[in-house]
Amino acid sequence: MTRLVLRLREESGIAMVLVVFAFALLATLSVVLIDTVVSESTKSAKAVVRQSSFQAAESGVDEYIAKLSDDSAYYLHWVAPAESTRRDVASGTLVSASGSSPAPTTWCSNTRVRPAPAAWSLGSQWDYTNPAAPKSPWDYPNGREHWCNLGNNFEYSLQIIPPNKTQKGVTIISTGRRINVPTDTRTVEAVVRQSTIADFQEISNHSINWGANATAYGMIYANTDITWASGGTAYGNEYAVGAISSSPTWQVDPNTGVLATGFDGSGSTGYANLFAPPSPLTQPIDFNSFTTSLTEIASAAGDATGGGIYLDTSYPTWRLTFNSNGTVTVEGCTGASPDVTLPSCVAVAPSSRPVPSNGAIYSASDVIVRGTVKGRVTVATPGEIIIGGNILYEGDASFLSPTSGKNVLGLYAVDNVNVPCWILGDLDWRAALVAQGAGKTYMAQGGCPTGNKKNILNGSGTVDCNNPTNTVMRHRGSAAVEVSGSFSGKFDCRGFFYDDSLTYLPPPWFPTLDPDYSVLSFRELPSG
């Protein structure tokens, strides 16, 4: 018995057992640690790939914004090299910068194989047949099949959605990934917009004066004062470097859903600094900067590849008659004073020309404009633009029942935009305009040999604008003028309406207020 007890108390060999258990524990911990390190390393690598894919997608957005900075209507003129194949919804025509599918993945890093963008001259108008579900003029039936190699083993692909009534910026959808690896893609959507002078109903380099009971339907800006007579109503914000006098009755802006208000530099409104938030302006509007657009239009008009129309000084005056089928009739005119006496005009071959796909018409001489516009176009001249008759857009049921988001006309004159003496009776016209030169404006020609006003009064002793005998001029659009003009000497009644489609469909080549694009929204989309 004593022997057994001694044997049980003996501890020889216990060290070996402990060593075995220790080695087993260390081996287990090593396996767990290695598995953890491998797992974390894999997660880290995936995170790096996903972050790099996101950065590649952002690069696509930045690259497209750079193209828009050079040409604000780039999306209507070109299909970008990294953009998926576009299909014109109306005709089914496919347009691709590569001419093949899939495109090479070395476009961005290897300029020798990178093609130029493909010209886009097809659909540009949204289909609002069903207002609840408007249709874009193009889609991407092949998915994302064109990619731009960034030279760092990552690439991006683009899809573009043009502005419309509800989304007033260009939508850029960019997907980033490792080259030829469909997993771990990241897709971002950016909506970007550049402010133009057509965002305002009227801009004046000096003062703006509104008559009694006048109504302003859009934003107003003056580099000095804005003065209202009694009974005025304003649906848009007003900005005066000087003062806003006798403020109107402010109404809710239908474009923003916010009550309109005034910003001025004199303290006569609640906002004494019109260049600080919540004002969107950061500095005074510089009229001298507009001349850059004139130069750009002249250059684009001379570009045959974009269908531009350049009219030289062969005639002292040109006449453009826009037609509802998307063409414009070109005539050369002679006569000493076309704003006083109707000139004699003859067709100049080719007399009927397509409205330029790049939206640029330039006349080195004065130009008369009239007709029904189909397309997006700006007419520019260093001289005078003369309104030669009614101007409407294709699809307008009438002046008071206009179409929106399909067509637009810009008129850019260094001299006046003028309604001539030989326009008699009523006048309806629709356009965004600029009269940029010193002392220039939009106006009715004064001192005409034949009067146009009837001056029939109502029972209160004021002009009766409901009497069809009285003459009426109505303008829908926007106006940026060096000084405010007047039409009261020619027409009994005048109506000035802002065209809110200009907030998402400005005329091509029109002057901008800010060279930079604002990002209205940015979000990541589910990849797929």
Side-chain angles (χ1 to χ4, degrees):
M1 185 69 176
T2 302
R3 229 171 184 187
L4 181 60
V5 170
L6 291 173
R7 271 179 135 2
L8 290 173
R9 289 177 178 175
E10 189 178 349
E11 295 182 357
S12 61
I14 192 65
M16 180 63 71
V17 173
L18 292 175
V19 168
V20 171
F21 275 109
F23 271 110
L25 179 60
L26 288 174
T28 302
L29 290 175
S30 297
V31 170
V32 171
L33 182 60
I34 290 171
D35 185 64
T36 301
V37 169
V38 170
S39 175
E40 290 301 317
S41 178
T42 301
K43 289 180 181 178
S44 178
K46 287 185 176 180
V48 169
V49 169
R50 284 184 54 78
Q51 181 61 27
S52 297
S53 296
F54 187 84
Q55 291 171 349
E58 287 184 312
S59 295
V61 172
D62 293 341
E63 173 68 16
Y64 204 84
I65 290 175
K67 296 181 186 300
L68 290 172
S69 296
D70 291 334
D71 176 3
S72 61
Y74 182 89
Y75 58 94
L76 293 179
H77 298 156
W78 306 100
V79 177
E83 188 176 344
S84 301
T85 299
R86 278 193 201 179
R87 177 176 62 186
D88 179 57
V89 172
S91 66
T93 302
L94 298 176
V95 176
S96 166
S98 70
S100 64
S101 179
T105 58
T106 53
W107 280 2
C108 292
S109 61
N110 188 343
T111 57
R112 291 178 298 176
V113 298
R114 183 173 59 198
W120 178 262
S121 58
L122 299 170
S124 62
Q125 301 174 353
W126 281 77
D127 180 358
Y128 294 102
T129 304
N130 179 3
K135 296 180 180 179
S136 174
W138 62 73
D139 60 14
Y140 297 96
N142 298 340
R144 302 182 184 96
E145 93 280 35
H146 290 175
W147 296 85
C148 167
N149 184 338
L150 291 169
N152 62 351
N153 203 35
F154 286 84
E155 58 188 1
Y156 67 80
S157 179
L158 296 173
Q159 295 182 353
I160 308 300
I161 302 174
N164 59 56
K165 290 180 180 179
T166 56
Q167 185 55 273
K168 298 184 178 182
V170 179
T171 301
I172 306 168
I173 301 173
S174 179
T175 298
R177 70 179 189 184
R178 281 188 294 174
I179 291 176
N180 291 329
V181 179
T183 57
D184 293 326
T185 61
R186 303 283 294 274
T187 299
V188 298
E189 176 194 84
V191 181
V192 301
R193 184 177 183 275
Q194 188 177 41
S195 297
T196 76
I197 60 174
D199 290 345
F200 288 77
Q201 179 177 347
E202 185 172 357
I203 296 174
S204 173
N205 202 27
H206 290 84
S207 62
I208 295 176
N209 299 300
W210 292 89
N213 303 312
T215 300
Y217 293 92
M219 295 192 297
I220 307 296
Y221 174 92
N223 264 333
T224 55
D225 302 326
I226 298 175
T227 302
W228 285 84
S230 60
T233 303
Y235 285 87
N237 287 350
E238 298 191 349
Y239 306 87
V241 176
I244 298 177
S245 302
S246 303
S247 293
T249 300
W250 303 104
Q251 303 292 338
V252 172
D253 185 338
N255 290 307
T256 64
V258 178
L259 184 68
T261 189
F263 299 80
D264 70 3
S266 71
S268 61
T269 67
Y271 298 100
N273 187 350
L274 69 161
F275 304 120
S279 168
L281 300 175
T282 58
Q283 59 187 0
I285 295 176
D286 180 9
F287 266 64
N288 293 327
S289 67
F290 295 174
T291 54
T292 302
S293 288
L294 185 71
T295 303
E296 291 174 345
I297 296 169
S299 177
D303 180 8
T305 61
I309 297 175
Y310 188 99
L311 305 173
D312 57 22
T313 56
S314 299
Y315 289 87
T317 305
W318 294 91
R319 183 164 67 188
L320 302 174
T321 303
F322 287 95
N323 307 304
S324 60
N325 63 357
T327 63
V328 56
T329 301
V330 179
E331 298 171 284
C333 306
T334 56
S337 301
D339 45 9
V340 176
T341 305
L342 178 65
S344 175
C345 302
V346 296
V348 175
S351 60
S352 181
R353 312 181 193 186
V355 169
S357 58
N358 68 2
I361 299 178
Y362 181 86
S363 172
S365 306
D366 294 345
V367 60
I368 301 169
V369 180
R370 64 182 184 179
T372 301
V373 177
K374 182 178 182 180
R376 300 177 70 248
V377 62
T378 294
V379 178
T381 176
E384 183 176 64
I385 289 179
I386 299 168
I387 306 303
N390 289 341
I391 300 174
L392 296 175
Y393 294 170
E394 182 270 332
D396 288 353
S398 67
F399 179 85
L400 294 178
S401 298
T403 57
S404 296
K406 296 176 61 179
N407 311 294
V408 66
L409 173 64
L411 302 176
Y412 187 119
V414 174
D415 206 329
N416 296 314
V417 176
N418 200 359
V419 175
C421 291
W422 42 269
I423 290 291
L424 300 175
D426 298 339
L427 176 67
D428 287 335
W429 57 299
R430 187 176 180 185
L433 63 93
V434 178
Q436 187 265 338
K440 304 305 179 182
T441 187
Y442 77 136
M443 59 179 232
Q445 179 68 25
C448 295
T450 303
N452 192 48
K453 296 178 69 171
K454 308 304 178 184
N455 203 33
I456 297 176
L457 307 182
N458 57 25
S460 301
T462 58
V463 174
D464 186 0
C465 290
N466 293 317
N467 189 313
T469 303
N470 280 330
T471 55
V472 178
M473 187 214 75
R474 297 178 295 190
H475 171 237
R476 184 184 304 279
S478 68
V481 295
E482 223 278 327
V483 297
S484 292
S486 175
F487 298 87
S488 60
K490 185 173 182 67
F491 298 96
D492 294 296
C493 303
R494 287 84 56 200
F496 301 92
F497 303 82
Y498 179 62
D499 188 344
D500 59 9
S501 67
L502 293 171
T503 59
Y504 60 92
L505 193 72
W509 312 104
F510 236 49
T512 59
L513 295 178
D514 189 337
D516 298 323
Y517 272 76
S518 299
V519 178
L520 303 183
S521 67
F522 185 92
R523 60 173 178 161
E524 183 170 7
L525 301 178
S527 297

